[in-house]
């Protein structure tokens, strides 16, 4: 398990930002992880836990230890009449897992097709797309506490999942490394097609033709039509969360901006489509040197690969202030900024 000094992280983040970690190590199991955490602890080094690097912004060099989680394995640990319980190593690629489940007819992940990144990061922001969130298929996870190196299990309730949120982004931020996730998947297909873009794409199909495979394929097609492939155009997906506002605020905004897009978000709240707000503020395609607002989806910021994280954050700040001036709505960044 070599610990490499002065390691370039450009290939380890989908924004392709060149930044150096003081140290870098790959860990394949819990013993290696414990040894890496112990190294960081002795040297009082800050930690950067890395999956696929698709939801972070490297604003500068990282003055600590970057640990790439490589734990592998996809195992059925239990089955009953209706469900199969699948234990998955944190280093497995998320979309490969979705394809594996489609092949084995374990249902529930179809709408989450093609989300970049690894399984261990999925609970951090409770990944979601096309009407399904990780919490809908989640049973429990195993994580290592960074100071004691003790393994702890977290059941669903303890994870405090919410829209793009979990306890690991809040109270327990930086306290645990997720090593394994257990999912509870269905043996009989139950397709979820209420998300507007998905429903529309499937509108000319008979209900009986809409299998989980069809849903997965359609989700992939929709995603490819608007989201840039990080291998071709570096990006980190949505750069901002969709803001949740009181219904009253939404009604006021609607009177000023009749086309505004919002979805019910429970308890007299509406979730606004941040992409619409940015788009209608005239910022789609807006470019500042090496960084830009994506031309197909204004919620995605792109990078040529030649700039740096600070340029991206400057662009994000510009968008936030333009959106606030126009709608009096605050945008919150989705990816985490390091260091
Ligand atoms: P990383 O970027 O490596 O890490 C993200 C955060 O999680 C970091 O703070 C990191 O320290 C922490 N972390 C990672 N692994 C662990 C671990 N094992 N233990 C503890 N902490 C850990 N997200 C959605 O929810 N829905 C989408 O539809 C979606 N679409 C996207 C489309 C594109 C083109 C891109 C580039 C991104 C998209 N994302 C989406 C965001 C991203 O794919 C998810 O957040 C994903 O879960 C990040 O996984 P990762 O392995 O790349 O995490
Ligand atoms: N819209 C515009 N202009 C734009 C972008 C969007 O008008 O430039 C409008 C669309 O027409 C639509 C609405 O905004 O009416 C919502 O757009 P879309 O369906 O593309 O979804 P989104 O709200 O922009 C969210 C997630 C995505 C996820 C999709 C599908 C967040 C922050 N983003 O995007 O997740 O894939 O829904 O569920 O919640 C990510 O987190 O990185 C991500 C890509």
């Amino acid at each position: 398990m070599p610990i490499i000094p002065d390691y370039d992280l450009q290939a380890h983040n989908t924004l392709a930002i060149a930044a150096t970690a003081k140290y870098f190590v790959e860990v394949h199991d819990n013993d290696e992880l414990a040894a890496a955490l112990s190294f960081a602890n002795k040297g009082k080094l800050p930690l950067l836990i890395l999956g696929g690097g698709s939801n972070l912004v490297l604003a500068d060099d990282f003055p600590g230890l970057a640990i790439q989680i490589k734990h592998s394995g996809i195992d059925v640990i239990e089955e009953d009449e209706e469900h199969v319980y699948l234990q998955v190593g944190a280093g497995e690629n998320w979309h490969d897992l979705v394809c594996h489940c489609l092949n084995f007819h374990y249902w529930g992940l179809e709408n989450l097709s093609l989300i970049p990144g690894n399984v261990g990061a999925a609970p951090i922001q409770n990944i979601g797309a096309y009407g399904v969130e990780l919490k809908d298929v989640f049973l429990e996870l195993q994580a290592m506490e960074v100071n004691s190196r003790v393994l702890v299990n977290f059941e669903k309730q303890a994870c405090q999942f919410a829209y793009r949120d979990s306890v690991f982004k809040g109270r327990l931020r930086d306290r645990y490394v997720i090593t394994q996730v257990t999912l509870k998947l269905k043996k009989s297909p139950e397709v979820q097609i209420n998300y507007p873009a998905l429903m529309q794409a499937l509108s000319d199909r008979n209900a009986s033709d809409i299998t989980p495979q069809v849903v997965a394929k359609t989700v992939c097609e929709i995603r490819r039509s608007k989201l840039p492939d990080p291998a071709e155009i570096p990006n980190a997906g949505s750069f901002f969360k969709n803001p949740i506002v009181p219904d009253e605020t939404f009604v006021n905004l609607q009177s000023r901006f009749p086309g505004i897009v919002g979805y019910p978000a429970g308890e007299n709240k509406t979730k606004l489509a941040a992409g619409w707000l940015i788009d209608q503020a005239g910022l789609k395609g807006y470019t500042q040197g090496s960084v830009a607002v994506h031309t197909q989806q204004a919620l995605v910021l792109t990078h040529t690969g030649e700039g740096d994280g600070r340029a991206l954050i400057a662009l994000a700040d510009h968008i936030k202030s333009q959106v606030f001036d126009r709608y009096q709505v605050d945008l919150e960044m989705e990816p985490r900024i390091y260091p």
Side-chain angles (χ1 to χ4, degrees), residues 14-27:
T14 62
L15 277 163
I17 294 168
T20 303
K22 187 166 184 198
Y23 296 101
F24 173 86
V25 66
E26 282 185 358
V27 298

Side-chain angles (χ1 to χ4, degrees), residues 49 51-55 116-118 121 125 127-128 164 178 223 235 237 338:
I49 307 303
S54 65
N55 213 28
N118 293 351
Q125 71 158 2
I127 55 168
R164 293 296 190 271
I178 295 170
R223 294 183 68 98
N235 75 93
Y338 287 92

Side-chain angles (χ1 to χ4, degrees), residues 285-302:
Y286 176 76
T287 303
Q288 277 185 352
S290 59
V291 294
V293 180
H294 188 51
T295 49
Q296 303 298 110
Q297 223 300 3
L299 200 45
V300 176
L301 304 190
T302 61

Side-chain angles (χ1 to χ4, degrees), residues 189-300:
E190 237 174 71
V191 293
Q192 304 287 340
I193 57 163
N194 288 334
Y195 192 88
L198 186 56
M199 201 188 289
Q200 207 204 325
L202 293 167
S203 58
D204 57 354
R205 297 248 189 177
N206 293 324
S208 57
D209 295 342
I210 305 176
T211 62
Q213 287 91 339
V214 167
V215 172
K217 185 167 171 280
T218 309
V219 165
C220 289
E221 283 164 6
I222 299 172
R223 294 183 68 98
R224 287 194 180 102
S225 73
K226 51 178 143 187
L227 292 170
D229 177 354
E232 287 159 21
I233 304 176
N235 75 93
S238 299
F239 212 80
F240 301 99
K241 293 187 193 178
N242 284 329
I244 297 175
V245 300
D247 286 345
E248 201 189 321
T249 306
F250 180 58
V251 171
N252 285 337
L253 283 166
Q254 247 179 339
S255 66
R256 288 165 57 208
F257 306 99
I260 193 167
V261 181
Y263 312 97
E267 297 164 41
N268 307 320
K269 301 261 169 68
T270 299
K271 192 197 277 178
L272 302 177
W276 188 94
L277 301 177
I278 299 168
D279 186 352
Q280 294 300 311
L283 289 165
K284 206 177 216 174
Y286 176 76
T287 303
Q288 277 185 352
S290 59
V291 294
V293 180
H294 188 51
T295 49
Q296 303 298 110
Q297 223 300 3
L299 200 45
V300 176

